[in-house]
Amino acid sequence: MYDQPQLFTILAMKTYLKTTYREIIECLELMDKIRKFLGLNKLPHFTTIQKFFVRMSDTIIKRFK
């Protein structure tokens, strides 16, 4: 399983690099040092990042209501 800091970091990289969810996972396949730094033995499926974004967005929106 992946923890929230790992997923958030991948989401931040996706935003910074202006990639799609699939593209950021493909990039991470080539980035051994970053995967090791994040403690990722296995990369998440791109839908895991999408679902995390939706959950995170809902949480942030609820805080402003």
Side-chain angles (χ1 to χ4, degrees):
M1 210 59 178
Y2 309 99
D3 59 27
Q4 289 187 350
Q6 290 171 322
L7 296 174
F8 183 82
T9 302
I10 294 171
L11 187 59
M13 289 176 60
K14 177 208 163 295
T15 303
Y16 180 77
L17 296 173
K18 299 177 183 172
T19 63
T20 66
Y21 293 101
R22 287 178 192 239
E23 290 170 341
I24 193 60
I25 297 304
E26 290 172 0
C27 288
L28 285 169
E29 287 175 355
L30 304 173
M31 299 176 173
D32 295 336
K33 289 183 181 181
I34 292 178
R35 281 197 329 263
K36 186 176 180 181
F37 178 78
L38 292 174
L40 296 170
N41 297 324
K42 181 180 174 188
L43 288 174
H45 192 264
F46 73 93
T47 58
T48 303
I49 308 303
Q50 287 175 318
K51 292 173 187 176
F52 174 73
F53 174 72
V54 170
R55 283 193 321 264
M56 189 180 72
S57 296
D58 287 346
T59 303
I60 291 171
I61 290 169
K62 287 178 184 176
R63 287 184 184 173
F64 290 111
K65 286 186 176 182

